[in-house]
Amino acid sequence: MAFGRSSSGRRKRPVEPVTLKILVAGGFGVGKTTLVGAVSEIRPLRTEETLSEAGRPVDDLHGVETKATTTVAMDFGRITLREDLVLYLFGTPGQDRFWFLWDELAQGALGAVVLCDTRRLEDSFAAIDYFERRGIPFAVAVNCFEGAARFPAGTVRTALDLDPEVPLLMCDARDRESVKDVLVAVVEHAHTLAARGREPATT
Protein backbone atom coordinates (compact mmCIF):
# COMPACT_ATOMS: atom_id res chain seq x y z
CA MET A 1 0.00 0.00 0.00
CA ALA A 2 1.58 3.25 -1.12
CA PHE A 3 1.30 6.40 0.93
CA GLY A 4 1.59 9.92 -0.42
CA ARG A 5 4.68 12.05 0.03
CA SER A 6 4.83 15.44 1.70
CA SER A 7 6.37 18.48 0.02
CA SER A 8 9.66 17.62 1.72
CA GLY A 9 9.69 14.25 -0.02
CA ARG A 10 8.99 12.24 3.12
CA ARG A 11 6.22 9.72 3.16
CA LYS A 12 3.07 10.87 4.95
CA ARG A 13 2.01 8.72 7.82
CA PRO A 14 -1.52 7.36 7.56
CA VAL A 15 -4.00 9.36 9.62
CA GLU A 16 -5.12 7.58 12.77
CA PRO A 17 -8.77 8.66 13.17
CA VAL A 18 -10.32 9.64 16.46
CA THR A 19 -13.29 7.38 17.19
CA LEU A 20 -16.24 8.73 19.16
CA LYS A 21 -19.33 7.01 20.52
CA ILE A 22 -22.74 8.61 19.99
CA LEU A 23 -26.04 7.29 21.33
CA VAL A 24 -29.31 7.63 19.42
CA ALA A 25 -32.22 7.63 21.85
CA GLY A 26 -35.89 8.52 21.98
CA GLY A 27 -39.34 7.06 22.32
CA PHE A 28 -40.73 3.90 20.80
CA GLY A 29 -41.20 4.13 17.03
CA VAL A 30 -39.58 7.54 16.64
CA GLY A 31 -37.14 6.50 13.89
CA LYS A 32 -33.90 5.57 15.65
CA THR A 33 -33.28 2.45 13.55
CA THR A 34 -34.05 4.41 10.39
CA LEU A 35 -31.62 7.18 11.37
CA VAL A 36 -28.72 4.80 12.03
CA GLY A 37 -29.39 2.93 8.79
CA ALA A 38 -29.62 6.11 6.71
CA VAL A 39 -26.17 7.36 7.65
CA SER A 40 -24.11 4.24 8.38
CA GLU A 41 -21.34 3.46 5.89
CA ILE A 42 -21.40 -0.18 6.96
CA ARG A 43 -24.34 -2.54 7.00
CA PRO A 44 -26.01 -1.66 10.32
CA LEU A 45 -26.24 -4.23 13.06
CA ARG A 46 -29.88 -4.46 14.08
CA THR A 47 -31.58 -6.37 16.88
CA GLU A 48 -35.18 -6.05 15.78
CA GLU A 49 -37.91 -8.49 16.68
CA THR A 50 -41.49 -8.72 15.46
CA LEU A 51 -44.02 -7.14 17.79
CA SER A 52 -46.12 -9.80 19.45
CA GLU A 53 -49.58 -9.83 20.94
CA ALA A 54 -47.98 -10.40 24.33
CA GLY A 55 -46.23 -7.05 24.08
CA ARG A 56 -49.27 -5.02 23.13
CA PRO A 57 -50.35 -4.31 26.72
CA VAL A 58 -46.94 -2.68 27.45
CA ASP A 59 -46.02 -1.20 24.04
CA ASP A 60 -47.93 1.99 23.31
CA LEU A 61 -48.60 1.94 19.56
CA HIS A 62 -50.57 5.20 19.51
CA GLY A 63 -49.33 7.15 16.50
CA VAL A 64 -47.27 4.23 15.16
CA GLU A 65 -50.01 1.67 14.62
CA THR A 66 -48.32 0.30 11.47
CA LYS A 67 -45.03 -0.48 13.26
CA ALA A 68 -44.38 -4.23 13.09
CA THR A 69 -40.90 -4.57 14.67
CA THR A 70 -39.01 -3.22 17.64
CA THR A 71 -35.36 -2.93 18.72
CA VAL A 72 -34.68 -5.20 21.69
CA ALA A 73 -30.99 -4.50 22.31
CA MET A 74 -29.40 -1.87 20.07
CA ASP A 75 -28.72 -0.68 16.55
CA PHE A 76 -25.10 -0.15 15.56
CA GLY A 77 -23.58 1.81 12.69
CA ARG A 78 -20.49 3.77 11.73
CA ILE A 79 -19.88 6.98 9.81
CA THR A 80 -16.64 8.76 8.89
CA LEU A 81 -17.24 12.50 9.19
CA ARG A 82 -13.66 13.38 8.26
CA GLU A 83 -10.49 11.48 7.51
CA ASP A 84 -9.55 11.89 11.17
CA LEU A 85 -12.99 11.50 12.79
CA VAL A 86 -15.17 8.38 12.94
CA LEU A 87 -18.45 8.09 14.84
CA TYR A 88 -19.83 4.84 16.17
CA LEU A 89 -23.60 5.04 16.54
CA PHE A 90 -25.54 3.06 19.11
CA GLY A 91 -29.33 3.18 18.83
CA THR A 92 -31.06 2.45 22.11
CA PRO A 93 -34.31 0.50 22.54
CA GLY A 94 -37.30 2.73 23.14
CA GLN A 95 -39.56 0.69 25.39
CA ASP A 96 -39.45 1.05 29.15
CA ARG A 97 -38.73 -2.64 29.73
CA PHE A 98 -35.40 -2.40 27.88
CA TRP A 99 -34.06 0.67 29.67
CA PHE A 100 -31.78 -1.47 31.83
CA LEU A 101 -29.52 -1.64 28.75
CA TRP A 102 -29.03 2.12 28.60
CA ASP A 103 -26.40 2.31 31.34
CA GLU A 104 -24.14 -0.13 29.51
CA LEU A 105 -24.66 1.56 26.15
CA ALA A 106 -23.96 4.99 27.66
CA GLN A 107 -20.51 4.05 28.97
CA GLY A 108 -17.85 6.03 27.12
CA ALA A 109 -20.33 8.01 25.02
CA LEU A 110 -19.26 11.48 23.90
CA GLY A 111 -22.86 12.57 23.44
CA ALA A 112 -26.31 11.62 22.26
CA VAL A 113 -29.12 12.40 19.87
CA VAL A 114 -32.64 12.48 21.31
CA LEU A 115 -34.98 11.85 18.38
CA CYS A 116 -38.50 13.25 18.74
CA ASP A 117 -41.87 12.97 17.04
CA THR A 118 -44.16 16.01 17.44
CA ARG A 119 -47.15 13.66 17.69
CA ARG A 120 -45.64 12.05 20.81
CA LEU A 121 -43.33 14.64 22.37
CA GLU A 122 -44.00 13.27 25.84
CA ASP A 123 -42.12 10.10 24.85
CA SER A 124 -38.91 12.16 24.67
CA PHE A 125 -38.90 13.26 28.30
CA ALA A 126 -37.36 10.05 29.67
CA ALA A 127 -34.36 10.22 27.32
CA ILE A 128 -33.83 13.94 27.95
CA ASP A 129 -33.96 13.40 31.71
CA TYR A 130 -31.55 10.47 31.45
CA PHE A 131 -28.83 12.47 29.69
CA GLU A 132 -29.36 15.57 31.82
CA ARG A 133 -28.95 13.57 35.04
CA ARG A 134 -25.76 11.93 33.81
CA GLY A 135 -24.24 15.06 32.31
CA ILE A 136 -24.04 13.56 28.81
CA PRO A 137 -24.18 16.27 26.11
CA PHE A 138 -27.08 15.81 23.73
CA ALA A 139 -28.91 17.42 20.85
CA VAL A 140 -32.61 17.10 20.13
CA ALA A 141 -33.65 16.21 16.57
CA VAL A 142 -37.29 16.46 15.54
CA ASN A 143 -38.00 13.75 12.98
CA CYS A 144 -40.37 15.43 10.51
CA PHE A 145 -42.76 12.61 9.71
CA GLU A 146 -45.08 13.03 6.76
CA GLY A 147 -48.49 14.17 7.99
CA ALA A 148 -47.19 15.23 11.41
CA ALA A 149 -47.84 18.79 12.55
CA ARG A 150 -44.92 21.19 12.10
CA PHE A 151 -44.11 23.60 14.90
CA PRO A 152 -41.52 26.39 15.21
CA ALA A 153 -38.33 25.33 16.95
CA GLY A 154 -39.06 27.71 19.83
CA THR A 155 -42.40 26.05 20.46
CA VAL A 156 -40.81 22.59 20.57
CA ARG A 157 -38.01 23.83 22.83
CA THR A 158 -40.55 25.23 25.28
CA ALA A 159 -42.67 22.06 25.19
CA LEU A 160 -39.60 19.94 26.00
CA ASP A 161 -38.32 22.44 28.59
CA LEU A 162 -34.85 22.42 27.03
CA ASP A 163 -31.98 24.56 28.25
CA PRO A 164 -31.11 27.32 25.74
CA GLU A 165 -27.71 25.77 25.00
CA VAL A 166 -29.11 22.38 23.91
CA PRO A 167 -29.06 22.18 20.07
CA LEU A 168 -32.49 21.62 18.51
CA LEU A 169 -32.73 20.64 14.83
CA MET A 170 -35.45 19.56 12.42
CA CYS A 171 -34.43 16.49 10.46
CA ASP A 172 -35.51 13.67 8.19
CA ALA A 173 -34.22 10.42 9.69
CA ARG A 174 -34.30 8.86 6.20
CA ASP A 175 -31.94 11.43 4.68
CA ARG A 176 -28.18 10.93 5.07
CA GLU A 177 -27.21 14.61 4.86
CA SER A 178 -29.92 15.63 7.30
CA VAL A 179 -28.72 13.03 9.81
CA LYS A 180 -25.10 14.11 9.34
CA ASP A 181 -26.06 17.67 10.29
CA VAL A 182 -27.54 16.34 13.53
CA LEU A 183 -24.43 14.30 14.36
CA VAL A 184 -22.13 17.25 13.66
CA ALA A 185 -24.26 19.35 16.03
CA VAL A 186 -23.84 16.76 18.79
CA VAL A 187 -20.06 16.57 18.38
CA GLU A 188 -19.68 20.37 18.29
CA HIS A 189 -21.91 20.77 21.34
CA ALA A 190 -19.94 18.18 23.30
CA HIS A 191 -16.63 19.81 22.39
CA THR A 192 -17.96 23.24 23.38
CA LEU A 193 -18.99 21.95 26.80
CA ALA A 194 -15.67 20.13 27.26
CA ALA A 195 -13.70 23.26 26.37
CA ARG A 196 -15.80 25.30 28.78
CA GLY A 197 -15.06 22.80 31.52
CA ARG A 198 -11.32 23.20 30.91
CA GLU A 199 -11.40 27.00 31.14
CA PRO A 200 -9.82 28.37 34.33
CA ALA A 201 -12.25 29.82 36.79
CA THR A 202 -12.36 33.62 36.90
CA THR A 203 -12.60 35.62 40.09
Side-chain angles (χ1 to χ4, degrees):
M1 180 176 178
F3 299 109
R5 293 181 180 271
S6 64
S7 57
S8 63
R10 295 181 178 178
R11 292 180 182 271
K12 291 182 179 179
R13 292 184 178 179
V15 175
E16 185 69 29
V18 174
T19 58
L20 303 174
K21 181 179 183 180
I22 302 292
L23 299 186
V24 180
F28 175 59
V30 79
K32 301 181 294 294
T33 298
T34 300
L35 184 149
V36 173
V39 80
S40 180
E41 62 198 16
I42 62 173
R43 183 176 180 178
L45 168 66
R46 293 173 174 169
T47 57
E48 288 193 310
E49 295 291 343
T50 302
L51 288 170
S52 65
E53 288 299 322
R56 289 190 178 277
V58 292
D59 293 333
D60 181 9
L61 297 180
H62 176 69
V64 288
E65 290 83 1
T66 60
K67 186 171 176 60
T69 61
T70 183
T71 299
V72 296
M74 68 173 185
D75 298 311
F76 174 76
R78 184 188 72 199
I79 177 174
T80 302
L81 288 183
R82 299 193 311 256
E83 182 184 11
D84 60 344
L85 180 59
V86 175
L87 302 185
Y88 289 111
L89 309 178
F90 291 79
T92 64
Q95 299 98 310
D96 296 4
R97 66 183 188 276
F98 295 125
W99 281 356
F100 68 92
L101 296 170
W102 283 38
D103 287 340
E104 289 191 24
L105 292 175
Q107 290 183 18
L110 173 81
V113 176
V114 177
L115 197 59
C116 299
D117 179 351
T118 58
R119 299 168 298 182
R120 310 173 78 192
L121 277 181
E122 66 278 4
D123 291 354
S124 308
F125 293 145
I128 291 171
D129 289 344
Y130 181 90
F131 297 124
E132 285 181 342
R133 289 198 307 269
R134 286 160 179 77
I136 297 174
F138 67 95
V140 172
V142 178
N143 192 8
C144 298
F145 285 92
E146 293 180 10
R150 305 294 175 93
F151 299 98
T155 301
V156 178
R157 182 178 292 276
T158 299
L160 294 175
D161 193 25
L162 295 177
D163 291 339
E165 65 182 8
V166 174
L168 173 66
L169 302 90
M170 304 297 165
C171 81
D172 182 343
R174 302 167 299 180
D175 182 78
R176 178 179 175 84
E177 292 304 315
S178 181
V179 174
K180 283 178 66 175
D181 289 342
V182 172
L183 297 175
V184 168
V186 174
V187 173
E188 291 180 344
H189 180 51
H191 284 175
T192 296
L193 294 181
R196 187 183 304 169
R198 291 193 295 267
E199 291 177 355
T202 58
T203 55

